[in-house]
Amino acid sequence: GNSVTQMEGPVTLSEEAFLTINCTYTATGYPSLFWYVQYPGEGLQLLLKATKADDKGSNKGFEATYRKETTSFHLEKGSVQVSDSAVYFCALSDYGKAAGNKLTFGGGTRVLVKP
Amino acid sequence: SQTIHQWPATLVQPVGSPLSLECTVEGTSNPNLYWYRQAAGRGLQLLFYSVGIGQISSEVPQNLSASRPQDRQFILSSKKLLLSDSGFYLCAWSLTSGAQYFGPGTRLTVL
C-alpha cells in the first residue's frame, strides 16, 4: 500500500534560518502530493500541492518539488519566522472520487522557531 | 467559496455517554466527506469517509459510527464513549482534485 515518511521532529531553529523537512513516499501510479500545516488547536490547512513529476508547489514562501526519481517532496523555506511554528504534514492522494480521494499522511513534523 | 463548519468546538463527556459531532460544508455539491481523529501529539487516523448520501466506509473498527443524512452534512456518533475516544476530531471535504480541506476541529475529552 501507499506510505509517507517524514523526518521526526521537533525541529528547532532560529528566526531567519533555512528550513527543510524531508518527505519520501511509496505509491503505485502517479499520486498527487501535498503539504499541510497545523497551528496549535486548529485544523489542517493546505499549504501547497503538486500533481505531477517536476511540478513545484509554492505558497507563503514555502516550496516543494515533486521528484519522481527519488520519490520525494521535501518542504523548504528560505527564512522562517516565529509564526511558522506549527506541525507540518506531508500527504499523497489515492486518486479518484470512487476510491474516496483518500489521503495517506506522514506522521507530522513539529517545527519550533525561536526569536 | 467553500466553507466547512464543525460543532461543538470543545466537548467534555463522561465515560458511557453518547456522542454526536456534526460537520457541514457550504458552497459545493456532492463532496467526499471524511472524519479523522488526532490523539494528543500524534498523527491523523482516518475513521470514516463518504462519497455520497447514505454511503459510509469505515476504516477502523471501533465503537464510533458515521452517517450522512444530507449531501453536505456528516455526523459522527457513539452510543457509549470510552476513555480512549478522547482526541481532536477533524472533518474534511474534497472533490476530484485530491486535496482535502479541513474544518476547525472538535476537542473531545472523555472523563
Side-chain angles (χ1 to χ4, degrees), chain B residues 60-81:
Chain B
V60 182
Q62 60 211 316
N63 70 320
L64 298 172
S65 62
S67 62
R68 185 170 177 174
Q70 301 179 44
D71 181 44
R72 290 168 289 179
Q73 184 184 31
F74 205 24
I75 297 172
L76 183 69
S77 303
S78 174
K79 293 181 179 179
K80 289 186 177 182
L81 283 168

Side-chain angles (χ1 to χ4, degrees), chain A residues 32 34 36 38 41-44 46 49 89 93 95 97-103 105 107, chain B residues 30 32 34 36 38 44 46 49 51 59 88 90 94-100 102-104:
Chain A
S32 293
F34 308 89
Y36 285 85
Q38 185 179 31
E42 299 184 8
L44 276 69
L46 179 64
K49 67 179 182 181
F89 292 92
S93 173
Y95 227 101
K97 182 167 173 47
N101 272 350
K102 291 187 288 183
L103 292 180
F105 284 91
Chain B
N30 196 26
N32 289 341
Y34 311 85
Y36 291 87
Q38 189 176 30
L44 293 162
L46 179 63
Y49 71 94
V51 300
E59 292 291 294
F88 192 47
L90 290 161
S94 76
L95 293 176
T96 57
S97 70
Q100 291 182 15
F102 286 78

Side-chain angles (χ1 to χ4, degrees), chain A residues 11 15 32-33 43 48 77 93 115:
Chain A
V11 174
E15 210 165 18
S32 293
L33 301 173
L48 53 83
K77 186 175 185 182
S93 173

Side-chain angles (χ1 to χ4, degrees), chain A residues 26-39:
Chain A
T26 58
T28 56
Y30 303 95
S32 293
L33 301 173
F34 308 89
W35 276 102
Y36 285 85
V37 59
Q38 185 179 31
Y39 299 103

Side-chain angles (χ1 to χ4, degrees), chain A residues 10-68:
Chain A
V11 174
T12 304
L13 55 167
S14 299
E15 210 165 18
E16 299 185 1
F18 185 88
L19 171 67
T20 299
I21 304 176
N22 290 340
C23 171
T24 57
Y25 68 91
T26 58
T28 56
Y30 303 95
S32 293
L33 301 173
F34 308 89
W35 276 102
Y36 285 85
V37 59
Q38 185 179 31
Y39 299 103
E42 299 184 8
L44 276 69
Q45 298 177 27
L46 179 64
L47 184 58
L48 53 83
K49 67 179 182 181
T51 58
K52 60 183 186 297
D54 299 325
D55 266 2
K56 177 185 283 188
S58 61
N59 186 24
K60 299 181 181 179
F62 290 89
E63 292 184 340
T65 301
Y66 190 146
R67 300 290 188 197
K68 188 172 184 295

Side-chain angles (χ1 to χ4, degrees), chain B residues 13-18 80-84 109-111:
Chain B
Q13 292 284 93
V15 170
S17 63
K80 289 186 177 182
L81 283 168
L82 307 172
L83 286 174
S84 57
T109 303
V110 182
L111 301 176

